[in-house]
Amino acid sequence: MTRPTSSNEIRRAFLDFFRQKDHTFVPSSSLIPEDDPTLLFTNAGMNQFKPVLLGAEKRPYVRAVNSQKCMRVSGKHNDLEAVGRDGRHHTFFEMLGNWSFGDYYKREAIVWAWEFLTERMGLDAGKMLVSVYKDDDESYGIWKDEVGIPPERIHRLGDISKGDEENFWSMGETGPCGPCTEIHYDQGEEVARGDDRPLGENESDRYLEIWNLVFIQYDRDEKGELKPLPLRSVDTGMGLERLVALVNGVTSNYETDLFAPIIEWVAERSQRSIDDEDDRVSMQVIADHVRALTFAVADGGRPGNDGRGYVLRRILRRAARHGRRLGFTEPFLYQAAQRVIEMMGDHYRELVDAREHITRVIRTEEERFNQTLDRGLILFEEAAARAKERFDREGGPGAAETRRGQGATEDATSASAGGGDDRPAISGEDAFKLHDTYGFPLDLTQVMAEEKGMTVDVAGFEKAMEQQRARARSASRFETTERGEAWTWLDGEPGAERAAARFVGYEVLQTECRLLGFRRVDDDTWEVVIDPTPFYAESGGQVGDTGVIEGEGLKLQVLDTQTSSAGNVCRVRVLEGGLDRGEWAGKVLRARVDEERRRAIMRNHTATHLLHSALRRHLSEEATQAGSLVSPEHLRFDFHHDGALGRELLDAIEREVNERILQDLPVVKHVDVPIDEARKMGAIAIFGEKYGERVRVVQVDDYSVEFCGGTHCDHTGEIQLVKVTGESAVAAGVRRIEAITGAAAVESFAHDRDIVLALGEELSSRPDELLERVRTLRTELKQLQHELDRARREQAGGQADGLLQHAVEIDGMRVIAAQVEVSGREALLEMGDRLREKLGSGAAVLAAELDGKVAFIAVVTDDLIAQRGLKAGDLVKKVAAIAGGGGGGRPHLAQAGGKDPAKIPEAVAAVAGIVEELASRN
């Protein structure tokens, strides 16, 4: 059998190897883990199997294999700053993995891993060594006695009793955990960089980890005690990029066919050499980042201002800035993404399907960033000027050393001297602003500073960065907390001792039920799980049900319903009786959903599907869902589209939806449909959503077919009426439509009618005459505004003539300084322009109090700018400082503000001296 060498061949060989060993191939889950709020991106192959490993879900297979799309760009897995600088760190990568859920265990996992690497991949067995957890004698024995690895190449590592979790895997501080064994490859002394320490201590790239085999056999409790699990599982992970590099005998992943074609494309387009070390790093950054962007956007990610959107924006901006360094001045990443699609599309068909979407999203963000980048470069120049001014003010070269000699602290000098470097320093605050607002990584700011003979206050930058992280941690929606007491389970804990509660809310809105568990959250509220439950838990944008649970002297008001591994959890308030009083095991209660509220939600949810379909028909099929909210009061639908829709298009969409409502089309819910069959039906899958092997599909005749687990009407006529109430921008490339249905829509249209009738009475016009009447009034108003502006200009001219009579001569220059009464800033500007026209040769500063604040304007004639170097921006800045403000502008006209109106006379009095001072410098 020929040894595979290309990445596609190696991936296929891995999947086929385990298929032949009765493993079920499970497609990669999305990079956007919508079902796991603790993750920004899928970062390991086990993410989609977490419910199985926790015992909360069963699958129709006990052996699985896949190649999982992963990203590590946040938290402890943040490799972003290292990407491109060595040969093995990446943002996006593929994790090859095989799993056993209570089936085979250590022996098979180890023997098969060795067989695949040595026999199928042809790796040199003599260069491989392994590590095991210090007490894992079983794995040690398999490696030594069955595989035949010499003891000196088997290393025992880790000791959890001492806090060393090397070769010991855990899902969290408590829960499933177990030892792991890792396979490493000795790349030789040439990559050791002089580090001759053994595996476990060596910090060079000599011993490259290839494959990690995790054996999940314990449950760790709050005390740290390990108890054997009834279901022992295997979870393995091997990076495809590293494996391809090893098979091809290269030490850098960037030399493999997963990256090289992109790098070669960038080199050709930029006409730069791969042999230049700095250029090569930039090319590697671009190759890595464009892979991450292509896959993330295909899975529904979009650059934005927070969460995973912010991470993607940082990745794109870092790549774009490295492109600028290579000479790219126009968007190019969207073109590089085409190379990724060509290379990876055979295995990941979603890339091909989303080609146009990927291109549009990346190109749009690139174009925006190019504009931002230009503004950022201006900000950098301003920051550099401030650093130079601060450095000169504090004494120039040697000042930092002098201050330290006088007892000043390092912190006191870091802002100007870069923490001891005797050069001007970009402040940490400015460096962070460049990073946070304009996407400049710190290393870029440092490079640009070096080019100017400056440094950067790194300590100040890190302080600002940590403050932002603290803000993000406190506000993050990716952190989960659980308040309240522990659960009391009446019939075993769900997932471990029994199945989760059954949901019957599609069929009925009230049912008899049993109480399975409860816990107190605070003084007023509890959480309960009942079986069966008619209460729909918040999911897919649809809010949770409310209602009542009662019986046996107990009455609970259901305030909300949320999902959990135990089933649908109801947040309740006790109205009668008490959960902590009485024996509830086996007692029959009755659960009743608030029917009026649920039916309002159903109307809005079905209307959302109709809106989605209408949008795709009127815009394009790329107008896909980006989010939604379905509540009893209204619906909100976010979709991907650039630019506002406009009133005419919104009316057409609203009209089409209402036509479908009037047709009273059947709404069919297809239950337990195989996912492949659902796709053949044309069902729309939402980007980023995770679907099981069998799904629920909601179909509205031949108009709309979507994957959906929500609750819906039986016929569109039940919606009654839809009214679009708003359309707006949510983020770059994402729009939002808001609408109401049913009685709320009828009432809103009636309200609009009443307003039209009232306006008709007010303007003495019939409803059909109102538009023309308003246009006439606007024309008349515009004419009056023109006349008012003309009168103000004449007034300004008159005032300017009066001010000219009070001009003073200073060193051959006519200077005017005065406080004036004006109607607004525009009138002040008009007066300044008139003064400049009539001065001939001179300068003027006018001040006015507007809305309790100070406004200044300065003008300078062209001859003084050219001959005396006098600039309006410099002049107004110094004058405004007296009133506690600042500003600037062009040499001939500049504006400023001030905080203290009481300082206006002092500022005006200082103008002559400031003009003389500025003119004398030049």
Side-chain angles (χ1 to χ4, degrees):
M1 186 182 292
T2 305
R3 185 180 75 157
T5 55
S6 75
S7 56
N8 283 331
E9 291 171 344
I10 291 171
R11 185 195 299 110
R12 190 180 308 115
F14 178 85
L15 299 175
D16 289 346
F17 178 85
F18 282 99
R19 279 193 183 109
Q20 292 165 7
K21 299 188 183 300
D22 300 322
H23 287 62
T24 297
F25 170 69
V26 180
S28 171
S29 63
S30 170
L31 272 178
I32 313 297
E34 294 292 340
D35 59 332
D36 190 343
T38 66
L39 287 175
L40 284 174
F41 298 98
T42 298
N43 61 17
M46 60 78 62
N47 291 159
Q48 68 166 309
F49 299 113
K50 189 186 292 187
V52 184
L53 296 171
L54 289 170
E57 180 183 323
K58 288 187 178 181
R59 303 272 177 95
Y61 48 80
V62 291
R63 298 181 179 188
V65 62
N66 87 340
S67 180
Q68 174 63 48
K69 301 173 289 189
C70 298
M71 278 181 67
R72 292 185 177 176
V73 287
S74 59
K76 68 177 183 179
H77 291 133
N78 188 355
D79 290 344
L80 186 58
E81 297 305 323
V83 169
R85 300 192 177 281
D86 61 19
R88 59 188 179 85
H89 281 93
H90 304 294
T91 51
F92 171 85
F93 62 97
E94 290 181 73
M95 182 74 83
L96 303 174
N98 58 288
W99 286 266
S100 165
F101 308 114
D103 187 44
Y104 65 82
Y105 202 48
K106 293 182 181 180
R107 181 187 176 280
E108 293 88 343
I110 290 172
V111 171
W112 289 342
W114 188 257
E115 178 186 346
F116 177 76
L117 291 175
T118 57
E119 298 181 18
R120 193 70 189 90
M121 293 294 101
L123 295 182
D124 186 348
K127 290 187 176 181
M128 285 193 280
L129 56 165
V130 300
S131 60
V132 300
Y133 185 65
K134 73 177 186 72
D135 294 334
D136 190 0
D137 296 333
E138 183 180 358
S139 294
Y140 184 94
I142 295 169
W143 283 119
K144 183 173 75 71
D145 301 330
E146 297 193 43
V147 176
I149 293 184
E152 61 271 18
R153 298 219 312 270
I154 307 174
H155 298 256
R156 291 181 183 267
L157 302 175
D159 187 346
I160 58 173
S161 66
K162 297 179 180 178
D164 180 0
E165 299 213 355
E166 189 71 31
N167 278 85
F168 194 91
W169 176 90
S170 56
M171 193 175 288
E173 293 184 7
T174 61
C177 58
C180 58
T181 181
E182 297 174 352
I183 305 173
H184 302 259
Y185 194 87
D186 186 351
Q187 298 191 97
E189 294 181 0
E190 59 271 21
V191 296
R193 302 195 307 272
D195 191 342
D196 58 0
R197 290 174 295 176
L199 178 69
E201 299 176 24
N202 196 297
E203 295 181 357
S204 73
D205 290 340
R206 174 172 180 172
Y207 302 114
L208 186 70
E209 179 190 333
I210 311 173
W211 205 338
N212 187 11
L213 316 178
V214 177
F215 306 119
I216 305 172
Q217 65 186 75
Y218 300 116
D219 183 14
R220 181 157 50 187
D221 63 19
E222 291 83 355
K223 298 178 181 178
E225 295 180 4
L226 303 179
K227 298 177 181 178
L229 284 169
L231 181 77
R232 300 193 306 178
S233 300
V234 174
D235 164 20
T236 85
M238 172 167 57
L240 174 64
E241 292 77 8
R242 291 189 184 185
L243 180 60
V244 175
L246 282 174
V247 169
N248 285 277
V250 296
T251 56
S252 171
N253 299 345
Y254 292 104
E255 297 178 51
T256 70
D257 67 350
L258 288 163
F259 297 91
I262 309 170
I263 292 172
E264 291 165 4
W265 181 88
V266 173
E268 181 182 348
R269 291 291 302 274
S270 65
Q271 297 185 332
R272 297 293 187 94
S273 173
I274 298 174
D275 296 328
D276 180 276
E277 183 177 352
D278 290 337
D279 287 353
R280 187 179 68 253
V281 168
S282 289
M283 293 175 193
Q284 291 176 175
V285 168
I286 291 167
D288 173 274
H289 287 11
V290 78
R291 279 168 33 104
L293 290 165
T294 302
F295 275 91
V297 171
D299 278 353
R302 291 178 76 99
N305 291 326
D306 52 30
R308 59 176 65 100
Y310 177 69
V311 173
L312 292 178
R313 177 162 284 168
R314 279 192 63 203
I315 290 173
L316 186 143
R317 290 182 171 187
R318 190 167 187 258
R321 182 58 187 89
H322 277 278
R324 183 68 70 96
R325 189 190 165 280
L326 294 175
F328 288 99
T329 57
E330 297 296 328
F332 72 99
L333 291 174
Y334 76 96
Q335 295 170 322
Q338 307 308 310
R339 302 290 294 133
V340 179
I341 296 170
E342 292 165 9
M343 293 160 54
M344 312 286 278
D346 285 345
H347 184 71
Y348 296 105
R349 293 298 302 172
E350 61 267 31
L351 298 182
V352 178
D353 295 341
R355 183 190 294 269
E356 292 184 12
H357 174 71
I358 293 166
T359 300
R360 188 181 66 256
V361 169
I362 294 178
R363 181 171 188 169
T364 300
E365 184 68 17
E366 262 194 287
E367 289 171 344
R368 290 192 178 103
F369 179 55
N370 276 350
Q371 299 169 2
T372 301
L373 182 59
D374 291 334
R375 292 196 297 271
L377 292 172
I378 294 172
L379 177 64
F380 173 82
E381 293 298 331
E382 293 173 353
R386 284 192 293 273
K388 180 68 165 59
E389 181 182 343
R390 186 168 54 243
F391 185 72
D392 292 341
R393 187 175 64 246
E394 295 180 359
E401 189 63 40
T402 300
R403 282 191 297 272
R404 285 194 296 275
Q406 295 171 346
T409 66
E410 189 73 18
D411 288 344
T413 63
S414 62
S416 60
D421 194 333
D422 215 2
R423 293 178 291 170
I426 305 293
S427 73
E429 182 180 349
D430 281 337
F432 178 75
K433 184 176 181 181
L434 283 164
H435 163 84
D436 191 51
T437 305
Y438 297 97
F440 281 38
L442 178 62
D443 57 359
L444 167 62
T445 304
Q446 289 175 310
V447 167
M448 293 169 64
E450 285 290 340
E451 291 171 355
K452 287 184 170 290
M454 296 182 175
T455 184
V456 177
D457 176 15
V458 177
F461 173 86
E462 293 294 348
K463 182 178 180 181
M465 178 68 81
E466 182 53 42
Q467 289 171 344
Q468 186 205 53
R469 290 186 185 124
R471 288 192 297 271
R473 282 194 294 269
S474 65
S476 175
R477 58 191 177 94
F478 293 97
E479 290 188 355
T480 57
T481 58
E482 186 174 89
R483 298 182 295 111
E485 300 173 356
W487 281 91
T488 297
W489 298 108
L490 306 179
D491 190 23
E493 184 174 349
E497 302 169 40
R498 60 162 183 79
R502 295 166 293 152
F503 174 64
V504 296
Y506 292 135
E507 298 82 22
V508 298
L509 295 182
Q510 54 181 307
T511 183
E512 291 185 342
C513 62
R514 293 181 305 116
L515 186 63
L516 297 184
F518 58 87
R519 75 182 191 100
R520 185 192 294 271
V521 177
D522 54 39
D523 291 342
D524 296 324
T525 55
W526 296 67
E527 287 181 346
V528 301
V529 175
I530 59 173
D531 183 43
T533 177
F535 297 103
Y536 180 87
E538 181 174 336
S539 179
Q542 179 176 327
V543 298
D545 278 335
T546 62
V548 173
I549 302 169
E550 59 186 338
E552 301 289 340
L554 180 70
K555 187 173 184 179
L556 307 175
Q557 178 187 5
V558 178
L559 307 172
D560 188 19
T561 310
Q562 297 289 327
T563 57
S564 79
S565 59
N568 294 1
V569 175
C570 295
R571 179 69 63 96
V572 303
R573 178 180 293 119
V574 178
L575 300 180
E576 297 176 11
L579 284 166
D580 52 355
R581 301 177 224 149
E583 296 291 331
W584 298 110
K587 297 288 180 67
V588 177
L589 304 176
R590 189 158 196 84
R592 185 174 70 253
V593 175
D594 183 332
E595 182 173 354
E596 183 179 346
R597 182 177 181 274
R598 165 73 87 82
R599 295 203 181 280
I601 292 170
M602 290 161 60
R603 284 194 294 271
N604 285 336
H605 203 154
T606 304
T608 300
H609 283 219
L610 298 180
L611 266 174
H612 188 189
S613 185
L615 283 164
R616 289 165 64 87
R617 289 165 187 262
H618 283 270
L619 300 176
S620 75
E621 291 191 356
E622 294 176 10
T624 52
Q625 181 172 340
S628 68
L629 171 68
V630 178
S631 74
E633 294 80 22
H634 70 289
L635 67 90
R636 188 177 74 206
F637 185 77
D638 298 344
F639 59 99
H640 296 121
H641 183 67
D642 292 310
L645 269 58
R647 187 69 255 170
E648 186 175 335
L649 185 53
L650 281 173
D651 286 346
I653 290 168
E654 182 183 84
R655 190 178 305 113
E656 181 172 315
V657 170
N658 281 313
E659 287 172 0
R660 297 301 181 271
I661 292 171
L662 284 172
Q663 291 170 359
D664 197 27
L665 301 173
V667 182
V668 181
K669 298 89 174 178
H670 303 279
V671 181
D672 203 30
V673 181
I675 192 165
D676 290 337
E677 185 179 323
R679 290 194 172 106
K680 290 176 184 176
M681 292 169 61
I684 298 173
I686 306 306
F687 270 142
E689 286 285 353
K690 177 188 173 186
Y691 300 100
E693 295 176 359
R694 306 186 77 83
V695 296
R696 186 171 183 265
V697 176
V698 175
Q699 180 175 8
V700 182
D701 200 51
D702 60 352
Y703 186 71
S704 169
V705 187
E706 293 193 29
F707 291 68
C708 186
T711 62
H712 287 270
C713 302
D714 292 325
H715 288 82
T716 58
E718 296 170 30
I719 301 171
Q720 300 172 12
L721 184 68
V722 163
K723 181 186 180 188
V724 174
T725 57
E727 191 269 341
S728 60
V730 178
V734 180
R735 307 293 299 181
R736 170 174 292 171
I737 275 190
E738 296 181 83
I740 51 179
T741 66
V746 173
E747 290 172 8
S748 181
F749 276 119
H751 179 66
D752 291 349
R753 179 203 60 201
D754 292 343
I755 291 175
V756 170
L757 293 174
L759 281 172
E761 291 179 6
E762 192 71 26
L763 298 176
S764 301
S765 303
R766 295 196 310 270
D768 60 339
E769 298 173 339
L770 276 176
L771 186 58
E772 189 58 38
R773 177 65 174 140
V774 169
R775 286 172 178 163
T776 301
L777 289 173
R778 288 187 65 184
T779 300
E780 293 174 358
L781 181 62
K782 189 177 291 186
Q783 290 173 344
L784 289 171
Q785 186 65 50
H786 284 320
E787 293 176 10
L788 180 60
D789 289 342
R790 185 171 62 252
R792 285 174 176 170
R793 283 194 297 273
E794 291 174 356
Q795 183 185 20
Q799 286 184 281
D801 291 339
L803 290 171
L804 282 168
Q805 297 175 13
H806 296 89
V808 296
E809 186 170 315
I810 298 174
D811 194 17
M813 300 176 290
R814 295 181 76 194
V815 178
I816 295 172
Q819 180 176 358
V820 295
E821 296 286 339
V822 290
S823 58
R825 187 173 291 273
E826 288 300 319
L828 187 63
L829 284 168
E830 181 69 33
M831 193 180 298
D833 282 338
R834 298 298 290 271
L835 267 180
R836 188 172 183 276
E837 291 171 5
K838 296 185 176 186
L839 263 174
S841 175
V845 174
L846 302 179
E849 182 177 348
L850 301 175
D851 299 324
K853 294 183 179 179
V854 184
F856 291 102
I857 185 170
V859 293
V860 178
T861 55
D862 292 339
D863 62 314
L864 295 188
I865 296 171
Q867 298 169 15
R868 306 294 293 269
L870 185 62
K871 297 177 181 178
D874 297 337
L875 175 57
V876 81
K877 185 176 181 181
K878 283 185 168 291
V879 173
I882 297 171
R890 292 165 292 175
H892 68 279
L893 185 147
Q895 302 179 63
K899 299 176 182 177
D900 188 357
K903 293 283 188 177
I904 291 178
E906 182 182 344
V908 169
V911 169
I914 293 172
V915 169
E916 186 174 16
E917 175 194 349
L918 292 173
S920 66
R921 288 184 181 179
N922 301 288

